[in-house]
Amino acid sequence: ICAPDYEPCTEDILASRVRTTGVIQEEYMIWGSKFVIIDVGGQTSERRKWMHQFDGCQAILFVAALSEYDQNLFEDNTKNRMVDALELFYKICNDKSFTNTHMILFLNKRDLFEQKIQHTAISSIPFFEDYGAQGWKENDYEAGMEYFKEKFKQQNETKGKDVFAHVTCATDTSNVQYIFNSCKAIILKDTLSASGFIA
């Protein structure tokens, strides 16, 4: 990296990370339709800045890190990160402003989760002691993934509202492409339905 002639490859760029602060808005033309994507900081100190940004949006893409089930917040080392994500998801999912807004859940960092779950049992974390009691297989990637999918889906108390859940790895370009295509299809189907083109 320190070499004068260093040029980052695609993998280098994907592996880099910049913490989102404030609100960043980007516009894209996809399939002839304009998509406005608003990226907001997830840190607790950032949240008061962005709730009003979602007026009239068709979908909220909520990203939570699967691998952080045993970690605490940077801003509050007494608060579990996964618990915080579940509480925030509950708040957004059931907010009256988002009654007709699609919720698309990205459970990210599946690669790190798959490594971590081999040696850190989910039920060993105080907030997730029900994992073993419910009969989920310990130290199992698939079982752990399904458990957290269900945890997030249970936060949805809005009748008739669906939560579309995807397990992701942001550095896996084929996985991200597949999921992005799924998101486009959900949003465009909703747009066509609202316009009366499809029932």
Side-chain angles (χ1 to χ4, degrees):
I1 290 176
C2 296
D5 59 345
Y6 168 74
E7 285 189 25
C9 63
T10 302
E11 288 73 25
D12 293 334
I13 294 166
L14 287 170
S16 65
R17 182 178 184 275
V18 177
R19 187 184 293 265
T20 304
T21 57
V23 178
I24 299 167
Q25 181 170 312
E26 300 282 352
E27 294 186 7
Y28 302 94
M29 287 300 293
I30 303 169
W31 294 350
S33 299
K34 184 169 88 168
F35 281 69
V36 179
I37 298 177
I38 302 168
D39 185 12
V40 297
Q43 296 79 31
T44 52
S45 59
E46 297 289 326
R47 291 173 190 168
R48 59 186 170 76
K49 302 177 186 176
W50 53 253
M51 284 297 278
H52 67 282
Q53 294 284 333
F54 292 98
D55 252 9
C57 74
Q58 290 176 291
I60 292 176
L61 280 61
F62 188 99
V63 182
L66 269 173
S67 60
E68 295 181 353
Y69 64 93
D70 66 335
Q71 295 173 247
N72 290 343
L73 292 173
F74 175 76
E75 312 94 304
D76 178 0
N77 64 8
T78 65
K79 181 84 173 186
N80 179 278
R81 289 186 181 190
M82 185 66 84
V83 170
D84 182 66
L86 285 161
E87 289 174 356
L88 180 59
F89 190 78
Y90 173 86
K91 183 178 177 182
I92 294 171
C93 207
N94 300 300
D95 190 295
K96 288 179 182 176
S97 304
F98 307 133
T99 301
N100 300 311
T101 304
H102 292 297
M103 293 298 298
I104 302 172
L105 171 66
F106 287 173
L107 292 174
N108 197 28
K109 300 187 181 179
R110 69 164 191 223
D111 52 335
L112 300 179
F113 176 70
E114 190 168 10
Q115 294 168 21
K116 182 179 281 189
I117 201 170
Q118 301 303 316
H119 54 81
T120 306
I122 293 171
S123 61
S124 69
I125 310 305
F127 310 100
F128 307 118
E129 291 162 331
D130 63 332
Y131 181 88
Q134 290 179 14
W136 294 97
K137 190 177 176 184
E138 288 288 8
N139 304 104
D140 184 85
Y141 166 71
E142 294 289 339
M145 180 182 67
E146 289 302 322
Y147 169 78
F148 283 116
K149 264 193 197 177
E150 284 304 308
K151 277 283 187 193
F152 276 93
K153 288 183 175 181
Q154 286 166 11
Q155 306 309 306
N156 176 26
E157 295 179 352
T158 304
K159 192 175 179 181
K161 188 186 194 80
D162 291 319
V163 174
F164 302 93
H166 300 280
V167 177
T168 64
C169 173
T171 57
D172 181 345
T173 52
S174 60
N175 174 249
V176 170
Q177 184 64 51
Y178 167 76
I179 290 164
F180 188 61
N181 286 341
S182 300
C183 294
K184 286 191 294 186
I186 290 164
I187 295 165
L188 288 174
K189 182 180 177 185
D190 187 57
T191 303
L192 291 169
S193 178
S195 303
F197 288 106
I198 59 173

